[in-house]
Amino acid sequence: MKNILLLGSGGRECAIAWKLSQSHLCGTFFIAPGNAGTAEYGVNLPISYNDFEEIGKACLEYKIDILIPGPEDPLVAGIYDHFKNDPKLKNIIIAGPSKAGAQLEGSKAFSKKFMERNNIPTAAYKEFTAESFEQGVAYIKRSTPPIVIKADGLAAGKGVVIAQDTIEAVKAFRAMVMDKQFGESSKKVVIEQFLEGIELSVFILTDGVNYVLLPEAKDYKRIGEGDKGPNTGGMGAISPVPFADDEFMLKVTERIILPTVNGLKDEGIIYQGFIFFGLIKVNGEPFVIEYNCRMGDPETEVVMPRLENDLVELILKMNEGKLNDVIVKHSRKATAAVMLVSEGYPGNYPKGREMSGFEKVNGSKLFHAGTATKDGKVVTNGGRVIAVTSSAPNLKDALAKSYENARLIEYEGRYYRKDIGWEFE
Ligand code: AMP
Ligand code: GLY
């Protein structure tokens, strides 16, 4: 039995918690800080996932064997290195990359150079800073719109601008490098070619040499139906992805996954953990839009129900460098998650709205995202509130079940997209 600490408080963590708690190898299980949903599977600890000192103390107090960072922030900030450099913590298994490996997500410039070195298909690009502002403007003027401007570092999902003309592109570029819109994160920017196609998310767990492929997923990022309106953290997800057929996935494996895992190994970058490939299919060919050094949210809410292997076993195999021994099994069922959100999201939204109807839900799993318990009642506590997730022999039935149950969870200002998975029905 292994004692486990999972970091994070979103729907992703709730889905991971649900999955871990089913393992015969899961001992005492903690989530920091967790939400009202994760408390059903383990013990929530009131610790921030960025507070390495407190996390370290909790690991010693509760004799933690495995630490799983859910979100990117602690990974990019170097939680792996923090643990490995501390004699008291260094034997704890961390399901996540070193600080150097997390740069795949933490720096767009790093990830673009990595892809260039390893011949991994991605949009053509150049990087610029305030010092090379004039060259950047000239590059924008030579490019054909739309033009994609990306802050180099983490920017809470807001660091990408798709400019429809050169004026808008220069404005976004100036705001980032000259006006430091995202502080340190936008001191450097990547300006790249716009790729026209359809996006999907592919996930692996790697031990640094071998890897297992997890179920792929598609998320729905915009707030409005028909993919309109501002970007959100994700309004729903489906798995499997109908257009990710065998032929396409073979290309993904040969051109993207293998060169990435081999590139990390050859460059001496320590990476034992999840890699999330944000891909786009352009005329049948896969390109990398971005890497993330963690699982996706809300993709994890549909990936975990389709993963038939024991997740703790996979993590132990990862730690032994023996993921090549594992035969990964994906359920043949389709899974669909519909995200219920708060009114106003992704702008300002209220918190603390009382929720009801949980007992009426039948046939769906509820992966809590922004919820909390207050005076014994479940209340809203974030923009994305709950992912209503269902599995069925086909996508249509999985969606129908999620929508049937989504209607039953009630709180003031509830909103959800009614068209998740619509293009595949
Ligand atoms: P990122 O933060 O890199 O995931 O970018 C956010 C979103 O912007 C992506 O999910 C895509 O929808 C879009 N995007 C980013 N880069 C490109 C690109 N080169 N071409 C087309 N769309 C892009
Ligand atoms: N769903 C996209 C992400 O987790 O970044």
Side-chain angles (χ1 to χ4, degrees):
M1 297 282 262
K2 301 292 175 191
N3 295 341
I4 304 177
L5 173 58
L6 170 67
L7 303 180
S9 61
R12 166 181 51 211
E13 287 73 28
C14 194
I16 295 174
W18 166 79
K19 182 76 183 156
L20 291 169
S21 69
Q22 292 164 40
S23 171
H24 65 287
L25 294 166
C26 185
T28 327
F29 176 37
F30 301 90
I31 308 96
N35 59 36
T38 62
E40 289 176 30
Y41 309 114
V43 179
N44 287 344
L45 299 175
I47 299 175
S48 153
Y49 57 69
N50 287 317
D51 190 339
F52 294 0
E53 290 304 322
E54 286 301 316
I55 294 166
K57 273 193 222 160
C59 284
L60 294 176
E61 183 177 346
Y62 299 116
K63 300 192 167 46
I64 295 300
D65 301 295
I66 301 175
L67 178 72
I68 309 176
E72 63 276 17
D73 301 55
L75 290 164
V76 172
I79 195 161
Y80 178 95
D81 306 66
H82 177 88
F83 269 58
K84 297 301 160 187
N85 290 329
D86 183 330
K88 293 200 291 293
L89 301 173
K90 72 178 193 333
N91 292 326
I92 294 172
I93 299 170
I94 302 190
S98 64
K99 187 172 184 174
Q103 288 294 293
L104 279 187
E105 176 165 3
S107 166
K108 305 264 188 216
F110 173 88
S111 75
K112 294 298 278 190
K113 274 189 229 132
F114 176 85
M115 287 187 266
E116 208 168 40
R117 286 197 295 276
N118 291 287
N119 279 317
I120 295 167
T122 187
Y125 83 105
K126 285 216 179 314
E127 59 177 270
F128 299 96
T129 59
E131 285 72 49
S132 53
F133 182 73
E134 291 310 324
Q135 288 97 302
V137 172
Y139 183 73
I140 288 172
K141 289 187 174 156
R142 283 201 304 277
S143 307
T144 316
I147 301 162
V148 184
I149 319 283
K150 298 183 172 183
D152 177 54
L154 297 183
K158 299 192 171 63
V160 175
V161 173
I162 298 178
Q164 296 305 323
D165 55 47
T166 46
I167 295 169
E168 194 189 337
V170 171
K171 208 171 130 201
F173 174 46
R174 183 192 303 278
M176 288 192 199
V177 294
M178 304 304 266
D179 308 336
K180 303 196 175 60
Q181 185 184 9
F182 302 108
E184 282 292 305
S185 285
S186 66
K187 272 178 74 178
K188 210 188 268 179
V189 304
V190 161
I191 302 183
E192 69 180 33
Q193 168 203 17
F194 178 79
L195 297 174
E196 181 90 57
I198 181 155
E199 289 179 62
L200 78 158
S201 308
V202 168
F203 305 93
I204 64 167
L205 178 69
T206 180
D207 58 25
V209 178
N210 316 288
Y211 73 91
V212 289
L213 181 70
L214 305 178
E216 80 285 356
K218 173 159 185 56
D219 81 340
Y220 291 79
K221 291 196 169 80
R222 304 297 189 96
I223 187 75
E225 279 150 28
D227 284 330
K228 302 260 163 35
N231 257 328
T232 70
M235 297 296 293
I238 58 160
S239 177
V241 178
F243 61 85
D245 53 29
D246 289 350
E247 188 192 344
F248 179 74
M249 289 307 287
L250 187 66
K251 290 178 187 170
V252 170
T253 301
E254 288 179 347
R255 299 179 197 170
I256 294 170
I257 299 177
L258 285 169
T260 299
V261 173
N262 291 335
L264 289 166
K265 182 180 65 178
D266 295 345
E267 295 183 18
I269 296 171
I270 296 173
Y271 206 116
Q272 292 195 320
F274 298 103
I275 306 181
F276 167 164
F277 301 86
L279 304 182
I280 189 163
K281 185 178 184 181
V282 183
N283 299 325
E285 310 300 325
F287 289 79
V288 178
I289 291 272
E290 63 164 353
Y291 287 110
N292 294 309
C293 60
R294 46 155 178 102
M295 290 297 292
D297 195 350
E299 290 96 327
T300 306
E301 289 91 309
V302 292
V303 169
M304 288 303 151
R306 290 198 60 233
L307 176 65
E308 292 187 343
N309 302 64
D310 181 316
L311 184 56
V312 182
E313 243 171 58
L314 288 183
I315 291 169
L316 294 176
K317 286 284 182 194
M318 174 203 80
N319 184 53
E320 293 166 20
K322 289 199 175 141
L323 280 175
N324 53 328
D325 284 355
V326 175
I327 296 171
V328 77
K329 292 200 199 82
H330 300 180
S331 160
R332 296 171 73 90
K333 284 188 177 169
T335 301
V338 173
M339 191 63 82
L340 309 188
V341 305
S342 296
E343 65 179 317
Y345 177 76
N348 293 332
Y349 51 83
K351 287 186 182 178
R353 297 258 166 100
E354 205 175 303
M355 302 177 67
S356 65
F358 294 100
E359 71 291 345
K360 295 186 208 151
V361 170
N362 185 8
S364 294
K365 285 186 258 302
L366 299 177
F367 292 131
H368 289 230
T371 66
T373 313
K374 198 174 157 204
D375 305 326
K377 297 211 167 79
V378 179
V379 297
T380 65
N381 193 40
R384 290 191 290 171
V385 176
I386 224 164
V388 183
T389 307
S390 320
S391 298
N394 59 63
L395 179 62
K396 195 162 177 256
D397 291 346
L399 284 163
K401 189 50 92 180
S402 286
Y403 278 118
E404 187 185 311
N405 284 311
R407 283 191 287 274
L408 302 175
I409 304 285
E410 292 185 89
Y411 55 91
E412 195 189 335
R414 181 197 68 189
Y415 169 76
Y416 57 91
R417 266 179 72 165
K418 313 281 188 304
D419 65 343
I420 301 303
W422 55 275
E423 70 272 52
F424 302 117
E425 280 190 12

